[in-house]
Structure formats: C-alpha cells, structure tokens
Amino acid sequence: MQQQVNSDGKLIVNGLEFQITQPLDFLTRFVGVEGFGVQGNLTIIDQKGLGAGAPAVAVGVAPTTYNITGYYEGNGVSARLSYIFNEGSQGSNPNQNGITQAAIFGRNYKQLDFSGNVDLARILGNSYLPTLVVNVINITKEAQSSYFQFPNATFNEYNPGRTLLVGIRGRF
C-alpha cells in the first residue's frame, strides 16, 4: 500500500519582480528615427525549506529568470528580437528512481527569438495588399535538458531546433 503524507517541513518563498517598457524615441528622435524601444523583465525567487524530515521545495521554480526585447514599430514595419533566460531549478523531490536523496534538476536555459511583419498596404497605400509575417523561434537552436542528481548524469534532453514561420495575412 502507498499513501501520500504531507511533509512536516515549511516552505518560505520570497521574490522580487522588475519590469520595464521604454520607448527610445527621446534618444532616436534627434537622428530622425522613431519607433525603437526595449522591454524587460527580471524575476528573483528565494526559497527555504524548514522543519523536520524532508524540507519542502517548490519544484520547477527557477531562482532567476529574465527576458529582454528590443523592438521597432513604425511605417508599416514591426520587428522584435527577444532573449529569455531561466536558471536551472530542482525538478523533482528526492527519492527519484528508488535512489534516496537523488532528485532531478533542470539546466539553465536560454532562447533567442525574432518576430516581424511588413504591412504592404500601409507602405504602398493600397488597403487590399497583404501583410508579410516572419517568426524565427529558438534562433540559436538551444536544447532543454535536465540531469539526475549530478550534472554529468543527463536525465533527458529535448532539442526542437529552430522553427521558422513565414506567412501572409490578407484583408477582405
């Protein structure tokens, strides 16, 4: 027989999150260009498990994550380049695969993406022309992976490669 038992431990989670969205027109307007900007986000999490027995852990919660996006929007053109980072975190509780105190941990992960479109109707002044769309996901072909207790013991790896989406959006 098996039965779930609540841990005697306590979990204390503290965190901070910072966000910014800043158009850069106040800088670029002097050279005759407007529409550039940046967006960013930083999240910092601290967790402590206290108590008898196995202290509690919030699995899958990265201690540090951030993303930053540079963008341009204007004159019928939109482009965004985004970078994300997730610090590795504990992915399971101990006692995995029958090994006492062994857990699964995620590795650091980063990804670079691009999205853009060109509105031909706006650029050429004909309301029936389409918009061309291009998205590139995971430009640098980063893999997601985890390890079993020790960094040299890879548990799993997922490598989807780069994804390219090219499209056309029309008006009727």
Side-chain angles (χ1 to χ4, degrees), residues 25-44:
D25 292 346
F26 70 97
L27 294 173
T28 60
R29 147 177 325 131
F30 298 113
V31 293
V33 178
E34 292 185 0
F36 286 95
V38 294
Q39 295 175 314
N41 178 308
L42 169 65
T43 303
I44 302 167

Side-chain angles (χ1 to χ4, degrees), residues 1-8 93-96:
M1 282 181 36
Q2 272 190 324
Q3 180 178 349
Q4 290 291 106
V5 177
N6 289 332
S7 171
D8 292 335
N93 289 316
N95 199 20
Q96 284 296 305

Side-chain angles (χ1 to χ4, degrees), residues 14-131:
N14 293 304
L16 292 170
E17 183 170 24
F18 302 95
Q19 296 181 26
I20 185 170
T21 299
Q22 181 62 59
L24 298 176
D25 292 346
F26 70 97
L27 294 173
T28 60
R29 147 177 325 131
F30 298 113
V31 293
V33 178
E34 292 185 0
F36 286 95
V38 294
Q39 295 175 314
N41 178 308
L42 169 65
T43 303
I44 302 167
I45 301 289
D46 177 52
Q47 61 174 307
K48 293 179 184 163
L50 305 171
V57 173
V59 297
V61 176
T64 305
T65 62
Y66 63 85
N67 64 63
I68 186 160
T69 299
Y71 66 86
Y72 172 77
E73 291 182 5
N75 304 314
V77 175
S78 174
R80 294 180 177 276
L81 187 64
S82 299
Y83 178 80
I84 65 163
F85 173 80
N86 290 314
E87 186 177 0
S89 61
Q90 186 170 335
S92 74
N93 289 316
N95 199 20
Q96 284 296 305
N97 298 341
I99 301 174
T100 307
Q101 301 306 314
I104 297 170
F105 297 88
R107 298 185 198 279
N108 292 352
Y109 181 72
K110 55 191 181 282
Q111 182 171 313
L112 183 65
D113 299 329
F114 171 81
S115 67
N117 63 64
V118 177
D119 186 350
L120 296 176
R122 178 154 182 206
I123 292 171
L124 300 175
N126 183 335
S127 64
Y128 294 104
L129 289 175
T131 299

